[in-house]
Amino acid sequence: WMWVIFTYPEQELIEVAGLDSAMYIRTLQLGWEVFVKLCFWTMIVILPINCTGREVNTLMTNQLAPPSPPAPPPPAGCAVAGGEDEVQAKKYAFTTFDKLSMANLPASSPKLWAHLVVMYIVTFTVLRTLWRYNEEATLLRIKFLANSPRGGPSHTVLITDIPGMKHGTVVWYLRLFAGSTLFIMLPAGLKKKVLDLMEETAGKAGQVVAGEAIPVKVNKASFATDKSLAEPTAMSNIVIAMAKVADQNQVDADKLEEEKNAGTGTTGPRQRKFTLRASEGMQIDDKLDPWAQAGEVLGSAVEPKAHRVQHFIHDEMEFSYGEGCVAAVNPVWDTAELQPLINEYQAVRQKLEDYLDKCAYELRRRKPIKKRLTITVVGPTLGEWGTKNYGVKPVKVDAIEFWTARLKELSCRIPEVQAKCLKKAIPSAFVTFHTRATQVKVVSALHHHDETTWATQIAPEPKEIIWPSLAMRAWQRSLRSVLLWVVYLLMMMFYMIPVAAVQALIEVPKLADVPVLGTIVTLPFIRQVLEAIVPGLVLIIFLALMPTILAIFCRLSGMVSTSQVDFGVVTRYFYFQLVSVFLGAIVAGSLFSQLKQFVKEPSSIITILGVGIPMTATFFINYILVAGVGKTGIKHLRIPGAVIFYLLSKLAATPRARARLWADQYTLYGPTVPYYTIAFLLGVTYCCINPIITPSALAYFGVVSLVERYNNIYVYRRTYESAGLLWRRVLNQVMTGLYIFQLCMIGLISIKKFPYSPVMIPAILGSIAFHISTLNLFARPATLTALHDAAELDAAASEMARADPEAQAAKEATDLDAYVAPAFKVRAGDITPLLADATEVGLLVDADVKKRAEEKAAKKAAKGKK
């Protein structure tokens, strides 16, 4: 089976698991391919040269020699005898294994030319392989998008920070504050200041709206005759006053527009007039303000009407990108009040479906049903409806009857709350276009000169959208990102503090003072486990929790999709691993011991790293072998997952419930990809220092590639499909590893006092130039579809539509609702078949219970007669 997995065609892998999984496998394939080549150069060229040296023998002899009496202090101004080798001999204990490393070569040895040349070969090998993989990744993405179905991310744009909507603005926050309990408790003077600020804000908005009108393509006659626009909304008196002021300003603005148009003879829905005031020295008119433009259509109401918001976004897109280009506009609404009802609705529905399946399953197999299921209900937890029907005390009720009644109640309440939510627009929307080319234009263009408004990006798949994040404005996302990056950096620098705190709490002497626990922890076996295993286990658990913590950070920062969160974890977890695993081991070995030198001479960091890195080669070789062969082999068995699945399958009473357990076999890239790129970094960094690490890295990528190929083909499924956007993160992390390799080699060869070490500097400069040029050439093709390619795909789609117009029309109708929030897709009639099934199964269960009771009574009567 191993050969079948290794030779599995990439195109079939893309069809089965998606392009993201293919890019994930190509990350491992990159490591395998690079280290096959590096093994040849390092094991044949570098290893024999390192073995020919005798420096380690000399240092080991100095270590075994008895200490000499201290020498008298040298006279002032005299240099202390002894070179770098003597300093190393005093600080580190060399072993026979170090004879294979670069430390075995003496200072100024001409053999260091081999290391310098191989350093260039390694650089060229990595860069050449990366260039080919970048080209292939771009072509694979284009082919994948060409074969993807119409609609969805290929035709849709996510627009955020839409102007004119008060959600997330000062007015919106003041309105929330004015309706809170805290506001009622404020002193009267402070209340007046807050209300004055709200009136001032409303007045400024009115002054903006009362300026020169900018007509847009909106049917204002329909707005004027629509009764729904005149309906008052539930809000505080101060907000009503604000709305009245804004409405009067809107009327004045409309009159001013009609007078100007009548005087100049200019009409038309597409006219936008931008004037320059000569008296103010060519100062731009206020009508260039996007908020003023939006205010002409939406007005100054805190909660604009749903159809007005939709028309506003639709007309803005068609005004900017052409008539008839928009297929659908799906504004995003605030569903904070609706979502708890939807969650409860889905949970109750699933419970009812599972129980009905269980009853039907047992009836088909003629298994006895002793009685109908009953559950305990606490009325107040269900609100007014629960208190009215079940009282305030816990009561036992029939499960089918309760779930049926609760679903009926929720199906009546949900449409009411949905209607309320449609009055709470948030500044985001999904716009679907008829062609791919239009989508490319919208995403790649500067829609407005004010870049804090009308921000556009390719829409993620509907199933991976994080809907609450769409409510944030740019300033909220920026502020959150800065704060969370600060917290992340503090965690990265001081992550050992919480670990040490937990370890201190579980020290045996402290636990021994606890009355009952002290007797247990002082037992010999328990004491040895606590002292030997638990401290390291705490660190392992903390590192295992880091991806989850980082994912929470990414969500809080305002990322709008699961893929963005996952890629954010890939980046952050890599640098955390870089600090905790790579730099942590080196710092522990050399930087702390030479802290005074670093403080006096910060530029000596390269020298310090050059001294410490060779001494940690053995540790990292063991780390790669254990992580690759040991950890990955155990991971392939999936023992924890098997145990959890076995226990949950016993609780799942029906085939549908067990199938749902198996269908939830999802995995993400954030917790895994950084381990692979860190292994690549370690292998490349130490390939010339100690060549034994290259076959270790080769074995690592071989084993991991086998396991991950199997899992992605047969086991795991992804929660999203980003069309290969993972590759750009891998590129940056591989280049980080190459930079560290080059810096370490420069530091080591400089320590060896090799006179030609400056020859290595062009390698770093060339790598930086390669990195920049690669990003410039491949960054946009890796994230955007080229306009030419999009036009070709549109032409092919048009031919298919002419061949089968009915299928195309059905697909376009489906696309209209693709980006409607799931909370609005719940309809009152969805549960009608389920309620009918519940009634039918309930009757069958009652009949079966009655039949079993009669049979039992008959047997008892017959036994009594005997």
Side-chain angles (χ1 to χ4, degrees), residues 32-42 125 129 132:
W32 169 268
E33 185 174 338
V34 167
F35 283 105
V36 164
K37 299 173 183 177
L38 297 190
C39 275
F40 173 80
W41 289 103
T42 57
T125 301
T129 309
R132 178 165 55 83

Side-chain angles (χ1 to χ4, degrees), residues 704-858:
V704 174
S705 179
L706 174 67
V707 171
E708 292 301 332
R709 279 177 177 269
Y710 178 87
N711 287 336
N712 281 269
I713 294 171
Y714 297 110
V715 180
Y716 292 133
R717 289 296 175 264
R718 301 294 173 181
T719 57
Y720 61 86
E721 177 57 60
S722 67
L725 295 181
L726 173 67
W727 177 251
R728 190 170 63 171
R729 280 78 181 174
V730 175
L731 167 67
N732 292 331
Q733 294 175 14
V734 169
M735 289 302 301
T736 301
L738 185 62
Y739 294 145
I740 292 177
F741 160 69
Q742 293 167 341
L743 291 173
C744 291
M745 288 301 297
I746 291 177
L748 285 171
I749 292 183
S750 299
I751 289 173
K752 291 292 182 180
K753 300 177 182 178
F754 189 62
Y756 301 101
S757 58
V759 177
M760 307 174 72
I761 295 177
I764 296 182
L765 300 179
S767 300
I768 295 173
F770 170 87
H771 195 183
I772 295 174
S773 62
T774 302
L775 292 178
N776 289 336
L777 289 174
F778 296 106
R780 297 192 69 192
T783 54
L784 293 174
T785 304
L787 191 58
H788 176 82
D789 298 334
E792 288 187 344
L793 295 175
D794 289 335
S798 299
E799 294 180 2
M800 294 177 62
R802 285 193 293 268
D804 191 357
E806 294 182 358
Q808 182 69 14
K811 178 61 179 172
E812 291 180 356
T814 304
D815 292 340
L816 298 180
D817 296 331
Y819 284 93
V820 175
F824 292 100
K825 294 183 179 180
V826 176
R827 297 290 184 265
D830 294 345
I831 59 171
T832 302
L834 179 61
L835 296 179
D837 292 342
T839 303
E840 182 181 355
V841 172
L843 295 175
L844 293 175
V845 170
D846 290 339
D848 187 74
V849 170
K850 182 178 180 181
K851 179 181 177 182
R852 301 290 179 184
E854 291 176 351
E855 291 178 353
K856 185 177 180 180

